Amino acid sequence: MNEKAVSVELGHALREWGVSGNHQEHVEFRRWIIKEAVSALRLKPDAKKSMESIKKSKFPKDIRSAYEHVLHNELTDKDFIYAYIDKCCDIDGPEEPFYRRPDKFNPSKVNYIRRKAHKHTKMEDIDPLTRFQFEICSTEVVLFQSWILKTEGQAAADGLFFEAAIACHALQHESCYNCKCRQTLRWNGGSGSAWQDL
């Protein structure tokens, strides 16, 4: 995706989240976000882990130890996590209050329509610059709340168990797609490398 396409898409996304005002705070925020995204696009991404460190890492061969290994990796992946409070908390999870729809008569023009769930929400509560309050929490606290205390956390716990089971099986029994050899796959898991665990 080129820089212009990124800028245009980010402009749409910000307006869907309600950062659409012409007042100085919104204009500056949009300009800053787009500038940072374009700058990040120009940087070469650093490798998350070197191939040597991946080769040296040992993934457990039994399912119980594999699950413990994956859980431990989740705990040590980050020192802290940003937790947030949403003023629109009666709605299930944060979502964009608007969606875009091309104009019927002018396809190059886009209209932003308020979602039904946000029809009666005040505009000042929709504004993401005031809608969310963030606080730094330790990883252990956030994971305990999401895995143990909240019922929707069961999906996260089940996902980690599934990840451990698949990795445990694949590392021992599946062939590499490229070289067609067994026991050549390596685990590269963690919350920062979704869909690239092997």
Side-chain angles (χ1 to χ4, degrees):
M1 194 178 268
N2 63 36
E3 292 178 10
K4 186 177 180 183
V6 168
S7 300
V8 169
E9 188 57 35
L10 265 176
H12 285 308
L14 288 165
R15 284 174 173 81
E16 288 173 346
W17 276 102
V19 187
S20 55
N22 292 324
H23 54 282
Q24 187 176 0
E25 193 177 23
H26 277 200
V27 171
E28 287 179 2
F29 185 75
R30 281 197 305 267
R31 190 178 297 137
W32 175 74
I33 287 289
I34 291 169
K35 180 184 168 194
E36 289 297 312
V38 169
S39 296
L41 196 65
R42 292 175 185 157
L43 294 174
K44 290 185 178 177
D46 296 329
K48 182 95 177 152
K49 296 176 184 174
S50 71
M51 187 52 99
E52 288 305 312
S53 68
I54 292 171
K55 284 180 181 176
K56 288 177 187 173
S57 67
K58 299 287 183 198
F59 195 85
K61 293 190 175 183
D62 67 281
I63 190 68
R64 182 187 174 113
S65 301
Y67 188 47
E68 288 176 6
H69 183 80
V70 171
L71 287 174
H72 179 73
N73 186 276
E74 288 289 308
L75 284 171
T76 56
D77 206 32
K78 297 180 190 80
D79 294 329
F80 62 87
I81 295 175
Y82 284 100
Y84 66 87
I85 299 167
D86 185 353
K87 283 186 182 177
C88 304
C89 58
D90 56 324
I91 297 161
D92 294 333
E95 68 168 353
E96 304 93 323
F98 300 92
Y99 64 94
R100 69 184 107 158
R101 187 166 64 193
D103 191 283
K104 289 181 191 175
F105 306 107
N106 184 359
S108 62
K109 185 182 174 192
V110 176
N111 297 313
Y112 297 92
I113 314 299
R114 197 189 282 217
R115 294 181 187 277
K116 285 182 183 178
H118 290 278
K119 282 283 186 201
H120 304 292
T121 310
K122 296 177 186 174
M123 278 306 289
E124 57 265 25
D125 289 340
I126 284 177
D127 185 347
L129 303 186
T130 56
R131 174 180 170 182
F132 299 101
Q133 293 177 328
F134 291 89
E135 61 180 58
I136 294 176
C137 295
S138 71
T139 307
E140 290 90 344
V141 168
V142 173
L143 295 180
F144 178 78
Q145 288 179 344
S146 65
W147 292 349
I148 309 298
L149 300 182
K150 294 183 182 175
T151 53
E152 63 266 23
Q154 187 60 42
D158 289 349
L160 287 172
F161 181 76
F162 183 72
E163 177 184 333
I166 293 295
C168 191
H169 170 82
L171 292 172
Q172 297 176 71
H173 306 291
E174 297 302 323
S175 303
C176 170
Y177 180 80
N178 293 317
C179 73
K180 312 297 184 215
C181 297
R182 288 189 178 183
Q183 308 220 334
T184 56
L185 296 173
R186 296 292 180 266
W187 190 69
N188 185 33
S191 59
S193 57
W195 304 107
Q196 297 175 10
D197 292 335
L198 291 177

